[in-house]
Structure formats: structure tokens, C-alpha cells
Amino acid sequence: MKKLVVYVTRKLPDDSIQRLKSQFEVKMWPMENEAIPRDVLLEEVQKADALITMLSDQIDRQILNHASNVKVIANLAVGFDNIDVHYATEKGIAICNTPDVLTDTTADLTFGLLMATARRIVEADQYIKKGQWRGWSPLLLAGQDIHHKTIGIVGMGKIGEVVAKRATGFDMEILYHNRSRNMNAEIKLGAQYCSFEELISTSDFVVCLTPLTSQTKELFNKAVFKQMKRSAIFINAARGAVVNEADLYEALLSGEIAGAGLDVFEVEPIGAEHPLLTLPNVVALPHIGSSSFDTRMNMIDLCCRNIMHVLTGEAPETIVNKEWLLKHMKHL
Ligand code: DGY
């Protein structure tokens, strides 16, 4: 019998997908650092029964219309704003993501980015490597304290909660804003729920961890940066499009806010000519929130398990479109 075909849109280590290879025909885009061209993806989805996709792939109506045999798409990310989930559900395709396995790693990076931005660690590294260090001086590369300051977390999901846990180790006051209250964070970590307006106007560190949706697109704009403290540092480890980048640039340039740590950008990848990269008070990372070796392997393995489950008629471990589950797994 012909084996079912799983198409992987980026080169992944062979041993990481071994469990798929034992049951299915696995085809893969051969480049590790280059996204699959749209025309190749359109061609390949027509022959596939399942896909492992990256957050850089736009899985829209056109792609889904070509995916007539695809039963499951496992996105190698917790975020799924790159997929038209509504249309995929209409087409009967299960959409899976990779929550939980990346929570601690992404929270570590988020807090690290906050620390690097506040204490000017990247600037200091460049300063010494460029041979500019002439001697100790009282205010040399003086940054901002982190301990005992107020952190405001916008989007108190699993990652937000673990960032808050990190913040307790620095005796920070923790504010958060979310669609729903996170009682665990309030009771265990002492986080205080507040309005978005109160959070942005009182926090020393505004940390964005909210998913990108039509409601959060450009949530951080000119008016919002204006309300922040002039000493505030803005951290974004969610999605670039949650921010109006031109407004952020202006706010940083004019001193309306003090700095920004950015792991994500509106259109990725960005080149060195991007205006935000020209500012000394910006620490920029190439979307590496969950990128530790262990976590990326765990994410790949979870994608493989989800595909195996769906293709063998079982429920996936982590599903985005719960409606799919209700319709296809009536026996559960
Ligand atoms: C995700 O998984 O959505 C994150 O952006 C990875 O860093």
C-alpha cells in the first residue's frame, strides 16, 4: 500500500523525524535557513497528507485550497497567526501547535532580553570588543535597575506566567493585563491584574507576550508609547505586528521611552538597514524565543507525534481548532 506523505517545509535533522519516517513517506524542503518558496509549497501541498510548517510559512486560503488530501498541519510554534485556522477548520484540517514544551525556554529568553536591554549588555559587549574601553568611569554604560521595579506583562498566558515567576526572583512588582484573569499568577506569584492603560503608564518594563490577532494588531502605537514612562523599556517576544514599528522608532528616537528589546519584527527577516536597528537603545534578536537545542527538538517531536496521531485516527496531543476534535473524535 502506498505510504501517506508528510511534507516538512524546512530542513530538520534526520534523527528528529525518525518516528515519522518509520511509518510515512517524509519529504522535506532541503534548506535550513531559507523559507520554502511559495510556488514550491503550492506544488508540494497538493501531494501531501500532512504538513509540518514553520511560522514563516503563510498557510492561507490559496495554500489550503491546494491541500485537498491534507488532514493535519503541525506548526512548529506555539503561535499560529500564520495559518488561516478558520478556513482550515472548514476544510476539515486539524491544526496543531507546540505549547508547553517551549514555555520555560521562551520565558528565559524574554527575561534575558529584558536584562540585556536594561543593563545595556549588548552595547557594552560591542564597546569592549571595538577597543573603546579606556578605563573605569562612574557612569560608564550606566543602565537601569531591574530589581524592585515594576514589570507589566501584556498577555498573561503560560509564557507570561513563567516570565512573572522569573520576575519574583528580582523582587519586582508584577502587573498584568489579559483577556481573562490568571488566578494562578495572582495567588502564587502576587501578580496584580490591571487595565491596559494603567499597566502601560505605571510599568518600568512593558513586556508584550500577547498573540497576534485582529484585536492586538498594532496594539502598541504612538498613543500607547506616549503614555509610557520616559524611563520605560518595551520588550516584545510575541509577534512584530502587535507593534506599529514606525511609532516605536519615533518613541525611541524622541526619548518618549528609554529602550526596547525586540525578538520579533513585523516582516521577518529584517535587514541591517531596518530603522530600529540603527538605534543604540534597541536590542534586537532574530526571533529565537524558543531556540534552545532541547526545546526545538521537543517541539519537532511534538509535531511528529501530532501528525502520527491524526494520520492513525487518534486525537492529537495539542490542537488549535478544538472544533475539529469535536467533529472528528466523537468517541472521545
Ligand atoms: C512561537 O513558538 O510562536 C514563538 O514565537 C517561537 O519563538
Side-chain angles (χ1 to χ4, degrees):
M1 210 173 79
K2 203 176 162 303
K3 281 185 173 178
L4 294 174
V5 175
V6 179
Y7 191 79
V8 185
T9 66
R10 197 67 70 96
K11 181 165 173 42
L12 300 177
D14 267 340
D15 52 347
S16 70
I17 52 157
Q18 212 45 53
R19 65 161 85 230
L20 279 185
K21 280 186 157 173
S22 61
Q23 279 196 52
F24 308 112
E25 184 188 344
V26 181
K27 292 176 73 188
M28 211 183 258
W29 171 244
M31 315 291 273
E32 198 183 320
N33 294 317
E34 220 174 273
I36 184 168
R38 178 98 184 161
D39 57 327
V40 180
L41 183 57
L42 279 169
E43 182 74 31
E44 292 296 346
V45 293
Q46 296 180 52
K47 299 175 266 177
D49 298 283
L51 302 172
I52 295 185
T53 53
M54 309 297 126
L55 52 79
S56 46
D57 304 320
Q58 284 311 313
I59 308 298
D60 53 19
R61 272 178 176 258
Q62 190 194 22
I63 297 281
L64 292 168
N65 281 335
H66 281 65
S68 39
N69 294 321
V70 171
K71 289 146 203 80
V72 51
I73 299 175
N75 204 40
L76 190 74
V78 64
F80 45 82
D81 48 279
N82 58 312
I83 301 178
D84 186 338
V85 177
H86 184 75
Y87 194 53
T89 309
E90 246 177 57
K91 302 216 72 109
I93 300 172
I95 303 297
C96 300
N97 63 341
T98 61
D100 307 320
V101 290
L102 50 58
T103 301
D104 282 293
T105 303
T106 309
D108 288 347
L109 191 281
T110 306
F111 209 83
L113 185 54
L114 182 156
M115 294 184 73
T117 313
R119 295 302 306 273
R120 304 173 62 184
I121 290 173
V122 179
E123 230 182 305
D125 172 81
Q126 291 303 308
Y127 179 83
I128 194 166
K129 284 182 182 162
K130 284 184 185 152
Q132 292 170 322
W133 193 23
R134 299 278 171 261
W136 187 90
S137 68
L139 290 177
L140 178 62
L141 288 157
Q144 299 200 26
D145 276 332
I146 298 158
H147 62 87
H148 296 101
K149 292 289 179 82
T150 299
I151 184 173
I153 300 172
V154 179
M156 189 61 113
K158 291 176 183 168
I159 299 171
E161 198 177 316
V162 179
V163 169
K165 191 173 168 193
R166 307 285 182 267
T168 61
F170 287 76
D171 298 316
M172 296 179 93
E173 186 171 343
I174 304 163
L175 302 179
Y176 79 97
H177 182 75
N178 200 45
R179 268 178 315 180
S180 53
R181 297 278 284 263
N182 182 327
M183 295 323 285
N184 208 35
E186 292 191 27
I187 294 162
K188 287 204 181 136
L189 306 169
Q192 299 164 52
Y193 178 83
C194 66
S195 68
F196 181 69
E197 286 69 28
E198 186 183 345
L199 184 147
I200 53 168
S201 58
T202 55
S203 298
D204 299 301
F205 297 94
V206 176
V207 178
C208 171
L209 287 165
T210 188
L212 173 62
T213 64
S214 49
Q215 282 92 53
T216 63
K217 195 168 190 308
E218 300 200 2
L219 174 68
F220 291 92
N221 53 34
K222 196 179 169 72
V224 169
F225 293 124
K226 239 189 174 47
Q227 287 175 69
M228 289 186 191
K229 291 181 175 180
R230 287 183 84 80
S231 57
I233 286 178
F234 175 66
I235 304 296
N236 189 7
R239 286 292 180 270
V242 173
V243 178
N244 180 313
E245 288 183 346
D247 291 352
L248 173 60
Y249 175 79
E250 280 306 321
L252 287 160
L253 193 69
S254 64
E256 240 157 37
I257 66 169
L262 307 170
D263 183 41
V264 287
F265 295 87
E266 191 180 350
V267 179
E268 297 176 357
I270 57 169
E273 70 293 341
H274 191 290
L276 283 166
L277 301 189
T278 63
L279 300 173
N281 49 351
V282 168
V283 176
L285 303 176
H287 203 151
I288 55 167
S290 61
S291 188
S292 73
F293 191 76
D294 287 348
T295 292
R296 285 286 159 89
M297 289 304 139
N298 288 333
M299 289 164 68
I300 295 170
D301 199 49
L302 178 54
C303 286
C304 294
R305 297 199 306 273
N306 278 332
I307 284 182
M308 287 182 69
H309 288 317
V310 175
L311 292 185
T312 56
E314 286 170 26
E317 292 171 42
T318 52
I319 183 142
V320 172
N321 49 352
K322 306 254 171 350
E323 308 92 299
W324 182 94
L325 207 57
L326 290 172
K327 201 163 165 204
H328 290 79
M329 299 281 146
K330 289 210 175 77
H331 56 283
L332 290 179

Tab-separated table of all heavy atoms in Angstrom, residues 5 12 48 85 173 212 220-221 300 303:
chain	number	residue	atom	x	y	z
A	5	VAL	N	1.991	10.683	2.727
A	5	VAL	CA	3.114	11.612	2.553
A	5	VAL	C	3.032	12.761	3.577
A	5	VAL	O	2.004	13.427	3.692
A	5	VAL	CB	3.109	12.208	1.119
A	5	VAL	CG1	4.203	13.265	0.959
A	5	VAL	CG2	3.259	11.098	0.087
A	12	LEU	N	14.951	19.703	8.635
A	12	LEU	CA	15.093	19.390	10.064
A	12	LEU	C	16.075	18.233	10.186
A	12	LEU	O	16.222	17.437	9.242
A	12	LEU	CB	13.732	18.970	10.647
A	12	LEU	CG	12.596	20.005	10.552
A	12	LEU	CD1	11.305	19.419	11.101
A	12	LEU	CD2	12.964	21.281	11.294
A	48	ALA	N	0.561	16.110	-0.506
A	48	ALA	CA	0.802	15.729	0.889
A	48	ALA	C	-0.480	15.331	1.631
A	48	ALA	O	-1.575	15.795	1.307
A	48	ALA	CB	1.464	16.890	1.615
A	85	VAL	N	-6.777	29.530	10.396
A	85	VAL	CA	-7.320	28.396	11.169
A	85	VAL	C	-8.806	28.204	10.859
A	85	VAL	O	-9.294	27.069	10.741
A	85	VAL	CB	-7.097	28.614	12.691
A	85	VAL	CG1	-7.725	27.497	13.497
A	85	VAL	CG2	-5.602	28.699	13.006
A	173	GLU	N	7.617	44.238	41.265
A	173	GLU	CA	6.165	44.313	41.373
A	173	GLU	C	5.612	43.865	40.027
A	173	GLU	O	6.111	44.317	38.979
A	173	GLU	CB	5.744	45.749	41.672
A	173	GLU	CG	4.267	45.834	41.930
A	173	GLU	CD	3.834	47.194	42.442
A	173	GLU	OE1	4.713	47.955	42.903
A	173	GLU	OE2	2.654	47.480	42.350
A	212	LEU	N	-0.837	37.465	18.235
A	212	LEU	CA	-1.284	38.398	17.195
A	212	LEU	C	-2.669	37.979	16.717
A	212	LEU	O	-2.864	36.862	16.237
A	212	LEU	CB	-0.297	38.382	16.022
A	212	LEU	CG	-0.712	39.179	14.787
A	212	LEU	CD1	-0.851	40.661	15.105
A	212	LEU	CD2	0.285	38.970	13.649
A	220	PHE	N	0.401	48.318	20.207
A	220	PHE	CA	1.398	49.265	20.705
A	220	PHE	C	1.682	50.287	19.606
A	220	PHE	O	2.345	49.977	18.615
A	220	PHE	CB	2.673	48.530	21.139
A	220	PHE	CG	2.449	47.706	22.372
A	220	PHE	CD1	2.076	46.379	22.276
A	220	PHE	CD2	2.548	48.275	23.630
A	220	PHE	CE1	1.831	45.624	23.414
A	220	PHE	CE2	2.301	47.538	24.775
A	220	PHE	CZ	1.946	46.208	24.661
A	221	ASN	N	1.112	51.466	19.782
A	221	ASN	CA	1.225	52.512	18.768
A	221	ASN	C	1.610	53.830	19.425
A	221	ASN	O	1.848	53.884	20.631
A	221	ASN	CB	-0.090	52.617	17.986
A	221	ASN	CG	-1.262	52.795	18.946
A	221	ASN	OD1	-1.113	53.431	20.001
A	221	ASN	ND2	-2.402	52.233	18.615
A	300	ILE	N	9.839	19.720	17.655
A	300	ILE	CA	9.772	18.893	16.431
A	300	ILE	C	9.105	17.550	16.765
A	300	ILE	O	8.236	17.063	16.045
A	300	ILE	CB	11.186	18.668	15.823
A	300	ILE	CG1	11.773	19.997	15.337
A	300	ILE	CG2	11.147	17.652	14.685
A	300	ILE	CD1	13.255	19.954	14.946
A	303	CYS	N	5.414	17.898	17.081
A	303	CYS	CA	4.802	17.984	15.737
A	303	CYS	C	4.670	16.590	15.122
A	303	CYS	O	3.627	16.235	14.560
A	303	CYS	CB	5.650	18.858	14.801
A	303	CYS	SG	5.547	20.613	15.143
